[in-house]
Amino acid sequence: MDCSLVRTLVRRYCAGEENWVDSRTIYVGHKEPPPGAEAYIPQRYPDNRIVSSKYTFWNFIPKNLFEQFRRIANFYFLIIFLVQLIIDTPTSPVTSGLPLFFVITVTAIKQGYEDWLRHKADNAMNQCPVHFIQHGKLVRKQSRKLRVGDIVMVKEDETFPCDLIFLSSNRADGTCHVTTASLDGESSHKTHYAVQDTKGFHTEEDVDGLHATIECEQPQPDLYKFVGRINVYNDLNDPVVRPLGSENLLLRGATLKNTEKIFGVAIYTGMETKMALNYQSKSQKRSAVEKSMNVFLVVYLCILISKALINTVLKYVWQSEPFRDEPWYNQKTESERQRNLFLRAFTDFLAFMVLFNYIIPVSMYVTVEMQKFLGSYFISWDEDMFDEETGEGPLVNTSDLNEELGQVEYIFTDKTGTLTENNMAFKECCIEGHVYVPHVICNGQVLPDSSGIDMIDSSPGVSGREREELFFRAICLCHTVQVKEDDPEDTIDGPRKSPDSKSCVYISSSPDEVALVEGVQRLGFTYLRLKDNYMEILNRENDIERFELLEVLSFDSVRRRMSVIVKSATGEIYLFCKGADSSIFPRVIEGKVDQVRCRVERNAVEGLRTLCVAYKRLIPEEYEAACNLLQAAKVALQDREKKLAEAYEHIEKDLILLGATAVEDRLQEKAADTIEALQKAGIKVWVLTGDKMETAAATCYACKLFRRSTQLLELTTKKIEEQSLHDVLFELSKTVLRCSGSLTRDTFSGLSTDMHDYGLIIDGAALSLIMKPREDGSSSSNYRELFLEICRNCSAVLCCRMAPLQKAQIVKLIKFSKEHPITLAVGDGANDVSMILEAHVGIGVIGKEGRQAARNSDYAIPKFKHLKKMLLVHGHFYYIRISELVQYFFYKNVCFIFPQFLYQFFCGFSQQTLYDTAYLTLYNISFTSLPILLYSLMEQHVSIEVLKRDPTLYRDIAKNALLRWRVFIYWTFLGVFDALVFFFGAYFMFENTTVTSNGQIMTTNINMMFGNWTFGTLVFTVMVFTVTLKLALDTHYWTWINHFVIWGSLLFYVVFSLLWGGIIWPFLSYQRMYYVFIHMLSSGPAWLGITLLVTVSLLPDVLKKVLCRQLWPTATERTQARNKCLSVEQPTVFMLSQTSSGLSF
């Protein structure tokens, strides 16, 4: 018996071995390792099926119903429907069941169709053919049958079927190129590297003979992180252990390019692939409008319960008098007389709840969802937000936050790639005080390929010349740039010898690196290629120099530097390091630091991006120690990143400074105009960047975030070193509050010239001190409050030297401050994702740093300038439209139900309905639904051009202005007033009645047949016309489709009523509405009464609008007065004819 197997099982399952939880072991090709190695234990992994669908054929109905009834409104109406079924209620269960059924069915059909499309896509993906290696031969199977450990062959232009460890390719150097456009949107080619010991396996037989095991981390969604190691067994010797990182991992969804074929082993399959793990949706964000809507629903629910309680109590008070409880025409049975009083009261309470339940608008949720979904297309179809240069347009990743775009109070923006173009141009380099500028203009002539123009002192001597060439070699070698191979045969025969910049096309994930390599190329040194682990450069004498690439110490945002260790042809070993000045200077022990620092600071003030370059020579013993240290860190499965960081810190020290580079990142088109417009709109703009303070401040001046009159306040590490944090904060607080109090919101725009305009600059280290928890918790809290108070009174804030997590911390700090402002974060890179997810609204710029930000955002735009129209136009319209929709829904339902409440006082609280069942059912579904939906999609209270020209109009809707309690109460009381007019106006028309000879009851004043259904129909007719015309009064932007829907809805009501009451319907058990509507309209006084009641109902709202516009006009109303004849652009969604609004107020 194999004791090792038992021992391993006991250790793993009983002893709880830590690595068993955190890692997995994969047997390449399902081959058992040689004897003496760890026992072969088959593990269960999921197959390669991708399941993005939500439902199956069997669980669709129960699962979908469960999800829909989790919504409070749907669940509430289900309870009402069940109550109607169980007890004797005044209305038919159809009146609640049909609208609920309609809402549930429409939503289920929509979700079912979307899921069917997902099933279709999943099947296409799971059934695509994949080439496996089995017994040394290629076998073709469906993708879903692939298992962890299978060896797969992928050909050029095919996508990888699962996550693979790259074993070998047809290339001799063991590399391949891939594009990850479907994963992160980056279309540039990325180079991946095969395992060193397997890159020579070029045939199926070679690969099938591989004996190896792979230990790696459990699946996790980070696309750019992977930790593992491979044990390759050669004969009976100890296995060769090689580290595995993200450069060895080929992700599902990526595409193989410029490589004939590759072999790889599957390590993550199906729903464990990184692509599938990234399917998981982000946390749900809720808009301020949605929160207000839910609060209003609770208020109306309380009103509903109050109405039911009042009617229940009054019913028993009224019935307490003799003969009222049991009139002669409605004698009770013996069982009814003996029924418990409390049970009867509770049943009556439920009956009244059912009678008044329509005050809660169930169809509002469906209308809001349709409005958000359809309205989001206005952004996608906006041609003004389409960028011709990149061919990109705006993207809407979620439509739930459309109206939130009109409520933004704080904008947090990245600098590089967001405010700037991320299109780097090499400007100069400084080597030991000597400045080199390519293509310098000297005496009116351009000097191409200038070898260096001294702009400070005399030209460098012999030793300076050596340092100069060493600097250029460092730039040519210390990078991760790829050379695009236009002609593969050229690269096989030999490297290009021409130093012409057009002959080499450089590709890199960092635009800075490309700019530096191209800039040094113009100064005489050309990077040619990386071949067989040798980097080739062409020097000024057109000689090729070859350096063996020994190690790459990768760049990361914490270290802010990268290094390479290379070996020259003469055997000398160099470490070249480049990075931010704050990262390089503390590690330098030699070089002209002061001269270089002076030049770096000068370039930073001019807004240039600077990097410092240093080097040191390594003796073989030092390199051997460094190599061992790195190898130990690379093969670690636990805390690999931490161990690598410690190794890098140990190696990158005692450097000799060579010089610095300066790269220009130009400001994006109209970035300054956009920021100025946003500030005029009352929005505070903060810039969060990882750049140094001087560079970021120069950019802020260029984009008009800071003005020349702005007094800059610093909260930086340098300042805190001179004084304590406590003193600095209190000093800044006194400064900003020295004037007559805090700045008001109106001064945020910087338009006020008679008050101080403050700008705050804070760095990452200072922020860490403010956010750092202390033993005295109150002290830490006080620092935050003081910091927030300073920020509130500054027109703009610049946060520099920020780590990605700190960006999110800043957003969170403002987001949860006592004012709870609406925040928006905009960025273009992976380092901006954290703040984009943290903010109320996240916007990604489709930039050159990939699409990680765009993928994780709520909305994506091609350029920063498009933010102006997205907020000031689209956001403004969205908020105006949906706030009217919400208020209007509550208003029309108050108009609908309050007459029913009043009617109970005239029918002995008998729970008699005022309206017919058909009217109860169709009021919200048909008669009043389409006009408000079209209004909420197309209303433009002012023109697009006016909104773009006058950003201050954005302030009129700030702080959820149209959904405040004052406005909500106005709409509610307006509904109550209109309901009183409907009911009592109709009541007084029916006041005097006589009995005719044939027994009919007729009104003496208008000579119309009197009855319960006639009275209710009259009230209902006045109500439908009033609420529809109320919306017409609020409409400013009229098109043929508005006319069609508004007047068509009224016509539909009339036609339906004529048909409903003009025909004896055989499927109905009652014919109570027969001839009622027709007889009502046959009376001339009824027409006059309807007209008068509609006019009286609308009159208060008209008077209020006129008086408010004359006495207390808002900025928007003043603008409307100046632009009486609006010239409105046609929306993209419909090519609509325009008409002027004769009904707008």
Side-chain angles (χ1 to χ4, degrees), residues 466-589:
E466 291 177 1
R467 288 285 176 89
E468 172 191 306
E469 294 190 352
L470 199 56
F471 176 89
F472 293 146
R473 289 188 181 96
I475 298 296
C476 282
L477 297 171
C478 188
H479 57 72
T480 57
V481 170
Q482 307 165 30
V483 180
K484 186 177 180 181
E485 299 176 6
D486 294 328
D487 186 358
E489 292 183 2
D490 244 8
T491 61
I492 294 171
D493 297 337
R496 298 181 182 90
K497 300 288 179 84
S498 171
D500 184 9
S501 63
K502 293 181 181 179
S503 64
C504 291
V505 179
Y506 298 117
I507 303 170
S508 176
S509 57
S510 169
D512 295 76
E513 289 192 329
V514 174
L516 290 175
V517 174
E518 289 178 345
V520 174
Q521 186 179 33
R522 298 202 300 274
L523 290 171
F525 278 75
T526 303
Y527 170 63
L528 295 176
R529 62 179 173 175
L530 172 66
K531 182 181 180 183
D532 297 333
N533 221 38
Y534 280 87
M535 302 181 80
E536 298 177 353
I537 61 176
L538 195 70
N539 62 23
R540 287 174 180 156
E541 287 74 31
N542 273 0
D543 295 328
I544 294 176
E545 300 180 8
R546 287 166 58 89
F547 291 83
E548 183 182 358
L549 181 60
L550 301 175
E551 297 287 348
V552 177
L553 282 60
S554 305
F555 175 87
D556 63 67
S557 57
V558 178
R559 286 166 53 241
R560 300 182 61 79
R561 63 186 183 275
M562 77 160 290
S563 301
V564 294
I565 301 176
V566 296
K567 188 176 184 180
S568 68
T570 58
E572 292 179 307
I573 299 175
Y574 293 93
L575 179 140
F576 292 116
C577 182
K578 73 175 181 189
D581 58 326
S582 60
S583 178
I584 298 295
F585 285 146
R587 289 163 179 78
V588 168
I589 59 171

Side-chain angles (χ1 to χ4, degrees), residues 57 129 135 162 170 183 202 235 273 314 500 648 670 734 768 777 829 924 1047 1055 1097:
F57 178 80
H135 308 299
C162 62
N170 65 301
L183 293 172
H202 298 298
D235 301 327
T273 58
L314 290 178
D500 184 9
Y648 292 162
K670 295 184 180 178
K734 285 180 191 174
S768 297
N924 278 318
W1047 313 125
V1055 172
S1097 300

Side-chain angles (χ1 to χ4, degrees), residues 50 65 100 167 274 312 381 420 479 514 525 577 583 589 709 743 755 767 769 853 858 865 880 889 914 955 958 986 1025:
I50 286 291
L65 288 177
L100 181 63
L167 296 177
K274 289 182 180 286
T312 304
W381 292 338
T420 60
H479 57 72
V514 174
F525 278 75
C577 182
S583 178
I589 59 171
S709 60
L743 298 180
M755 297 188 74
L767 179 68
L769 290 174
D858 303 306
K865 66 178 180 180
I880 289 287
F889 253 99
L914 179 61
R955 299 173 184 229
F1025 274 79

Side-chain angles (χ1 to χ4, degrees), residues 598-631:
C598 179
R599 193 68 189 179
V600 165
E601 290 175 354
R602 176 179 169 180
N603 287 334
V605 169
E606 293 176 3
L608 301 178
R609 295 166 61 88
T610 58
L611 286 175
C612 293
V613 180
Y615 84 105
K616 73 173 179 179
R617 284 189 175 88
L618 298 175
I619 59 175
E621 291 77 13
E622 287 178 318
Y623 167 67
E624 193 67 30
C627 188
N628 292 335
L629 194 62
L630 287 172
Q631 182 66 14

Side-chain angles (χ1 to χ4, degrees), residues 140-361:
R140 189 169 164 176
K141 295 182 181 177
Q142 290 183 347
S143 173
R144 62 188 175 88
K145 296 182 179 178
L146 193 150
R147 293 185 301 148
V148 170
D150 285 341
I151 299 176
V152 180
M153 186 187 79
V154 180
K155 296 180 180 179
E156 186 174 2
D157 293 326
E158 291 182 350
T159 58
F160 301 116
C162 62
D163 291 352
L164 305 169
I165 289 297
F166 182 19
L167 296 177
S168 67
S169 72
N170 65 301
R171 292 170 174 265
D173 59 358
T175 62
C176 72
H177 299 291
V178 304
T179 58
T180 55
S182 62
L183 293 172
D184 57 15
E186 295 186 44
S187 56
S188 60
H189 292 192
K190 298 180 177 66
T191 302
H192 287 256
Y193 302 91
V195 177
Q196 189 70 24
D197 297 84
T198 63
K199 68 178 183 180
F201 296 173
H202 298 298
T203 65
E204 291 82 356
E205 292 79 8
D206 291 342
V207 176
D208 191 54
L210 174 65
H211 277 71
T213 58
I214 294 173
E215 297 172 82
C216 61
E217 61 187 358
Q218 295 291 2
Q220 51 98 358
D222 192 336
L223 296 175
Y224 311 100
K225 181 185 174 186
F226 176 73
V227 175
R229 62 187 176 212
I230 184 169
N231 305 295
V232 181
Y233 298 94
N234 297 318
D235 301 327
L236 297 176
N237 299 326
D238 290 336
V240 178
V241 181
R242 298 290 183 188
L244 299 174
S246 57
E247 70 277 4
N248 309 114
L249 183 66
L250 304 173
L251 299 178
R252 177 172 194 151
T255 306
L256 184 65
K257 293 288 184 182
N258 292 348
T259 310
E260 186 180 327
K261 65 178 181 180
I262 67 101
F263 294 102
V265 58
I267 58 164
Y268 303 133
T269 53
M271 298 308 293
E272 289 187 343
T273 58
K274 289 182 180 286
M275 183 181 78
L277 292 175
N278 276 276
Y279 285 159
Q280 296 168 4
S281 59
K282 303 179 289 291
S283 60
Q284 189 71 26
K285 295 181 180 179
R286 295 171 60 211
S287 68
V289 170
E290 188 179 348
K291 293 172 185 175
S292 298
M293 194 167 70
N294 291 337
V295 172
F296 295 161
L297 275 174
V298 172
V299 171
Y300 271 67
L301 186 60
C302 293
I303 293 173
L304 169 63
I305 294 171
S306 302
K307 281 184 176 181
L309 279 173
I310 290 170
N311 275 262
T312 304
V313 171
L314 290 178
K315 175 178 180 176
Y316 284 91
V317 170
W318 189 79
Q319 290 182 351
S320 61
E321 295 186 22
F323 306 110
R324 285 185 175 173
D325 185 32
E326 198 173 343
W328 61 269
Y329 56 84
N330 192 18
Q331 295 286 327
K332 289 183 178 180
T333 63
E334 192 63 31
S335 62
E336 286 177 332
R337 290 192 186 99
Q338 293 177 359
R339 198 175 179 193
N340 184 277
L341 177 65
F342 292 105
L343 185 60
R344 274 188 292 155
F346 180 69
T347 304
D348 285 328
F349 171 76
L350 290 179
F352 280 119
M353 285 282 287
V354 169
L355 188 64
F356 302 140
N357 83 86
Y358 299 96
I359 198 172
I360 307 292

